[in-house]
Amino acid sequence: MSKQTAPEAAIQGRPKTLDETRAWMKARLASRTHPMNALDAEEGIALIDHLPGLDGESWSAYWMQHGQVVYRQAQEALSQEDTATASRLFMKASGLYFMGRFPCPDHPGKARSAELERESYLQAARLWDVPARRIAIPFAGRADEGREVVVLLRTPPGVERPPVVVMWGGVDAWKEQMTQACEALLALGIATVAMDNAGTGESPVRGVPDAERQFATVFDWVEAQSDLDGSRMACLGRSFGGYWATKLALLYPDRLRGAVNWGGGAHHMFQPEWIGASRYPDSYLMGLVETRCRMLGARNDEEYLAFFKRLSLLDQGLLDRRSAPLLLVNGREDRQCPIEDLYLLCSHGSPKHVRLFPGGHMGLTPQTLPTIVAWLAERVGATGDAK
C-alpha cells in the first residue's frame, strides 16, 4: 500500500476524526489532488496541523482568517501595479476561501467564505493573459428557482470562432475549480464556458430530475454567439456532474460533438443499497451526505433516498436512446460512484468510449485530464492554433 493511499484506506464507513482528517488532507496535499490542490504545497502542511476543528464555525473562520491576510497582500500588489503577483495572490486567497466553504456552504460562515472565494477568483481571473468574463445568462426558472445561470467565459486569442467546451464540476467542485481543464483546452484553441453543477454554487436550480434546463440554457446562449462556433460544442462533467453530461448526451445527440462523464453515475449510484454503502467513503474528506442533500434540496434521510432514486437514467427510460459521442472515465476502485454504472451505460444505446484509470473516484492520475482533453479536442475539431 502506498503512502498516498494509506490514510484513506484505513477510514471507511464512518466520519474521520480531526487527526484522521489532518492525515487525509496531507496525503492529498502531497499528491496535489482535489480538494487539497487549492493550497500551497509547503504552507499547507502548517495550515493543516493547526486546524482547530471540523464544525462549520471553527472550520470556516480558520480558513477565512488566512484568506483575508493573503487577499490584503493581493490588493497591495495591485495598488503597486504588480499584476502578476496580485493575480497569484488573489488565486491563493480564493483557494483558502474555497477550503473555508468546503464541501458546501451549509453554515453561515461557509456561505460567506463561498462569496469571498468567488470574489477573489474573479479578481485573479481579470488579470490573466486569457481573462475570464463573468456572464449572467437569463434563465426561465420556476417560481422557487433563480433567474440566471452564471458562467465564466474564456476565449483563446487569435482563434476566429473557436469551438466550445461547456464544463461543470460535482457537488463540491464548482466553476472556479475548473481552471486546470480550461487552461488545457484554451491551449488547443478551444473556448471554455465554466458553470456550476445543478444545486451547487450559483446554480439557479436544485438537483431535480429535469435540471438539464439550466445546461440547455447555456447551450442556447453559446449557439447564439457570433464569435463562438456553437456547431462545434462539447461538454465535460466531473464527479457527480458526469451524470448530467451523460443525460445531456442522450437528450441532445445532434447538438453535442461529444460529452465526458468523468466519475458520475447513471442508475446504481442512486439506489438505497449503494447510498448506504457510500455514506462515508474513504475518498471523501467530510460531509458527503450533507453536501448531496443540499444539492438535491433534501431535508432528511427519507428525502435524500427518494430524491436520489428519481435521478436514475434507467428508470427515466433514457439509456437506450442514441447519444452524442460519450466518453466514460473513472477509477477502478471508486467508492463514491459504482463501476457497475459504467458497465450499465456500455450495455445500452450507442457504443461508448471508456477509459479506466488506477485508483478511486475519478481515477486521478497525471494522464487522466490530458486523456480527456485530447478526446474533447478531437471531437470538436480543434486545430490547436491558439496564439
Side-chain angles (χ1 to χ4, degrees), residues 29-40:
L29 182 69
S31 64
R32 305 306 295 155
T33 50
H34 179 81
M36 304 315 301
N37 54 339
L39 298 183
D40 180 88

Side-chain angles (χ1 to χ4, degrees), residues 23 56 166 252 265 284 353 373 386:
V166 183
Y252 304 113
Y284 206 77
H353 300 251
V373 167

